[in-house]
């Protein structure tokens, strides 16, 4: 039986996880398609950071508060996209403050940046630079963050996001959010880059029922605590045959032994199986 080997990399964090919150009724209703997940997943992978969970949430302050309180309590590292504006359907800033039991206060630097943005717009013939006018007073609310928060610079239009307790809040617009996330990852999350390697080895087995493979997979996880065994089934389509991709994810020091145990266990089933070798790239920490 020939084998297919693949290696990947991620990180391991004791007692905390990395999460992504994507917020907005427009996502849940289908009015807009989420673009954040694939883009931010790649940004994390590029820096050797594994993503542990994702939540899609509507613009519901109570639900947001509950979700954020949970992630704050766990000590997670979180990127939150959306809901930090100042219209009635934006609740993320308020929910973050409530989750931490803090007041919303105007961040001085955020206020200055918003004033600069208003002046830029006035110079283009859009509105007034006078921060006393009602529309600019409303814009200043976008700089009200939980007390003690730090700002996240926004190179698109200067109106910042904020970070507090390893949670980073950016707008829902990708053109603003993605450069801000780059800044977060390269200034605030550098300690998470390529910390502990995870490697992956897998191979493809044809015409093997999952029900036969499952006991072998369970025995490998029992024999090697901390190792993850996975199965990615394909039903086949056209000329592609039904198959399973079977593999293990583990620290490099334990990878080969766990993979060999899985391979031997599958071969011991003495069923008619075939495997096909496939080459893929290697990412290392």
């Amino acid at each position: 039986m020939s084998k297919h080997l693949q290696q990947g990399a991620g990180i391991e964090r004791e007692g905390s996880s990395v999460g992504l919150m994507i917020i907005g009724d427009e996502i849940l209703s289908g009015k807009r398609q989420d673009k954040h997940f694939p883009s931010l997943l790649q940004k994390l992978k590029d820096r050797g950071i594994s993503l542990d969970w994702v939540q899609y949430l509507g613009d519901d302050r109570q639900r947001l508060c509950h979700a954020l309180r949970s992630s704050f309590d766990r000590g997670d590292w979180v990127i939150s996209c959306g809901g930090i504006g100042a219209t009635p359907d934006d609740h993320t800033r308020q929910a973050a403050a409530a989750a931490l039991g803090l007041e919303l206060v105007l961040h001085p630097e955020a206020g200055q940046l918003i004033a600069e943005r208003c002046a830029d717009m006035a110079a283009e013939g859009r509105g007034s630079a006078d921060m006393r006018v009602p529309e600019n007073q409303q814009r200043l609310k976008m700089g009200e963050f939980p007390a003690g928060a730090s700002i996240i610079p926004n190179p698109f239009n200067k109106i910042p996001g904020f970070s507090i307790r390893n949670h980073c809040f950016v707008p829902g617009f990708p053109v603003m959010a993605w450069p801000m996330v780059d800044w977060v990852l390269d200034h605030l999350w550098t300690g998470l880059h390529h910390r502990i390697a995870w490697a992956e080895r897998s191979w493809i087995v044809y015409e093997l029922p999952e029900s036969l493979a499952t006991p072998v997979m369970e025995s490998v996880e029992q024999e090697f605590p901390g190792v993850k065994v996975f199965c990615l089934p394909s039903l086949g389509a056209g000329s592609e045959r039904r198959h399973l991709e079977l593999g293990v994810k583990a620290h490099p020091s334990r990878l080969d032994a766990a993979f060999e145990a899985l391979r031997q266990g599958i071969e011991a089933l003495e069923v008619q199986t075939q495997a096909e070798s496939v080459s893929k790239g290697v990412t290392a920490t």
Side-chain angles (χ1 to χ4, degrees), residues 24-32 56-59:
D25 287 346
E26 67 278 9
I27 301 295
L28 299 183
S29 68
K31 287 183 178 179
R32 291 187 178 176
Y56 286 85
L57 297 162
D59 295 304

Side-chain angles (χ1 to χ4, degrees), residues 119-142:
D120 292 342
M121 294 172 63
E124 297 170 357
R126 295 186 293 154
S128 169
D130 185 350
M131 296 307 296
R132 296 171 296 181
V133 301
E135 58 265 34
N136 288 343
Q137 286 291 302
Q138 182 65 27
R139 291 187 176 108
L140 283 174
K141 292 184 180 297
M142 291 187 287

Side-chain angles (χ1 to χ4, degrees), residues 71-283:
S71 59
F72 281 126
D73 288 345
R74 290 192 303 267
D76 286 354
W77 297 71
V78 176
I79 294 171
S80 171
C81 301
I84 63 170
T87 56
D89 58 337
D90 291 317
H91 299 281
T92 306
R93 293 177 298 106
Q94 298 92 328
L100 292 170
L102 298 172
E103 292 184 1
L104 279 180
V105 296
L106 178 62
H107 190 287
E109 190 173 353
Q112 179 180 344
L113 288 167
I114 292 170
E116 290 178 9
R117 173 60 178 166
C118 292
D120 292 342
M121 294 172 63
E124 297 170 357
R126 295 186 293 154
S128 169
D130 185 350
M131 296 307 296
R132 296 171 296 181
V133 301
E135 58 265 34
N136 288 343
Q137 286 291 302
Q138 182 65 27
R139 291 187 176 108
L140 283 174
K141 292 184 180 297
M142 291 187 287
E144 294 180 356
F145 305 140
S150 301
I151 68 164
I152 298 172
N154 179 350
F156 183 81
N157 67 359
K158 296 185 179 180
I159 298 177
F162 67 97
S163 66
I164 188 167
R165 294 266 300 273
N166 298 332
H167 284 52
C168 299
F169 298 85
V170 298
F173 295 104
V175 69
M176 301 181 194
W178 296 353
M180 296 170 76
V181 169
D182 284 331
W183 185 90
V184 165
L185 297 178
D186 294 335
H187 290 80
L188 304 183
W189 288 24
T190 54
L192 299 183
H193 292 194
H194 304 293
R195 278 182 56 185
I196 299 178
W198 274 83
E200 178 180 310
R201 290 180 63 178
S202 64
W203 88 113
I204 294 173
V205 181
Y206 290 92
E207 308 302 337
L208 176 65
E210 287 182 85
S211 57
L212 290 180
T214 298
V216 178
M217 298 169 65
E218 291 174 341
S219 69
V220 172
E221 288 197 341
Q222 291 173 1
E223 183 179 354
F224 298 91
V227 168
K228 292 184 177 181
V229 181
F230 64 89
C231 174
L232 300 176
S234 173
L235 299 178
S239 60
E240 183 185 37
R241 295 156 58 197
R242 183 189 303 266
H243 64 267
L244 304 177
E245 181 182 353
L246 298 173
V248 297
K249 298 177 182 179
H251 190 275
S253 64
R254 310 189 71 199
L255 181 68
D256 290 341
F259 180 80
E260 186 64 18
L262 178 63
R263 185 187 64 81
Q264 291 181 2
I266 295 298
E267 289 182 343
L269 295 174
E270 297 182 353
V271 294
Q272 293 295 320
T273 65
Q274 292 181 325
E276 181 178 281
S277 177
V278 180
S279 298
K280 290 190 178 181
V282 175
T283 305

